[in-house]
Amino acid sequence: SGEMLSEDEICGMLLATLFAGQHTSSITSTWTLACIASSKRVMTEVMKEQEETTDGYKEQLSYDVVTNMQFLENCMKEALRMYPPPIMLMRQTKVPMTIEGYEIPVGTTLVVSPAASMRCEDVFEKPDVFNPWRYDNWTEPYQNSYIAFGGGLHRCLGERFAFLQVRSILSVLLRDYDIELVSSFPTINYDSMVAGPRPPVTFRVTRKPE
């Protein structure tokens, strides 16, 4: 509309950027690394892909190289399915709706839990098992079945950047260090604004020989 933003609006946008662009990415990195380190089979496949995709790019990653790390993306995607940072997604109805026989009038706030929705057995086979291979030939049985980044017109605009950012970080860590999860696998902490792993989450990190 051309109107100036108020101080509250500016502060709100800055806070949203801070939490959406930093806090959730660090949480996702931790969950993904914990999941990878907990499975020898997954770690072996990740390192095989790293060797294949980074050959000739040992010192510097490029956009093309990172985007070719499909299995690492699948690991991140699966970690987000099982441990999504957003506790809830909210939408307000603009038109009257009928869902499963329930009449929902205009102006109703609908709340969806990504953590519960993405563990439905009719959508994800063995939903409590970390299986990054499930995305090799997977298609959504229902629209917006995968909602780690929300869905519809208000789907997170930073989704692709998040995949690029976290894959870049994990690629460097996994190629330069041997990483072992020495604490027990973390439980989910629902006490904060976003659902991260409950401390302590302890890794043994050993630099690989040159």
Side-chain angles (χ1 to χ4, degrees):
S1 65
E3 296 181 6
M4 294 289 292
L5 296 175
S6 68
E7 290 188 2
D8 286 343
E9 289 172 330
I10 294 173
C11 288
M13 293 174 68
L14 290 174
L15 285 171
T17 301
L18 174 65
F19 279 102
Q22 178 181 353
H23 200 41
T24 52
S25 292
S26 65
I27 286 174
T28 299
S29 298
T30 304
W31 279 125
T32 306
L33 192 58
C35 290
I36 293 173
S38 298
S39 170
K40 290 184 179 180
R41 182 187 176 206
V42 173
M43 178 67 81
T44 299
E45 188 67 23
V46 167
M47 296 313 301
K48 177 184 176 183
E49 181 182 68
Q50 289 300 303
E51 292 177 2
E52 293 173 350
T53 58
T54 62
D55 185 32
Y57 295 88
K58 301 300 183 183
E59 301 298 328
Q60 183 176 358
L61 291 175
S62 69
Y63 175 83
D64 291 336
V65 170
V66 176
T67 53
N68 281 331
M69 299 176 184
Q70 187 58 54
F71 187 73
L72 187 56
E73 177 171 322
N74 288 353
C75 290
M76 179 182 167
K77 190 171 184 178
E78 180 72 340
L80 281 167
R81 179 190 69 79
M82 299 184 71
Y83 310 103
I87 294 175
M88 66 180 72
L89 300 173
M90 294 186 291
R91 297 291 188 267
Q92 189 176 74
T93 56
K94 299 298 183 182
V95 296
M97 305 174 65
T98 302
I99 300 178
E100 298 292 333
Y102 291 94
E103 299 292 334
I104 303 176
V106 173
T108 301
T109 299
L110 304 178
V111 180
V112 176
S113 167
S117 297
M118 292 191 291
R119 293 212 187 197
C120 291
E121 293 184 350
D122 61 331
V123 180
F124 300 95
E125 183 180 357
K126 296 181 179 179
D128 295 331
V129 175
F130 181 79
N131 177 20
W133 287 274
R134 73 169 76 244
Y135 303 104
D136 287 346
N137 297 296
W138 186 75
T139 56
E140 290 185 301
Y142 310 104
Q143 185 178 10
N144 294 319
S145 299
Y146 185 89
I147 53 173
F149 291 89
L153 295 176
H154 297 283
R155 190 180 184 93
C156 178
L157 293 175
E159 178 177 358
R160 295 317 306 169
F161 176 74
F163 277 112
L164 181 67
Q165 179 188 40
V166 173
R167 277 185 294 176
S168 298
I169 294 169
L170 295 182
S171 174
V172 173
L173 288 175
L174 291 167
R175 285 184 293 112
D176 289 351
Y177 300 93
D178 288 319
I179 300 176
E180 178 186 359
L181 180 66
V182 294
S183 62
S184 59
F185 195 87
T187 57
I188 305 172
N189 181 9
Y190 288 114
D191 296 334
S192 60
M193 182 178 292
V194 288
R198 188 179 297 278
V201 185
T202 307
F203 295 92
R204 180 180 292 115
V205 180
T206 306
R207 180 176 284 276
K208 295 179 179 180
E210 297 292 339

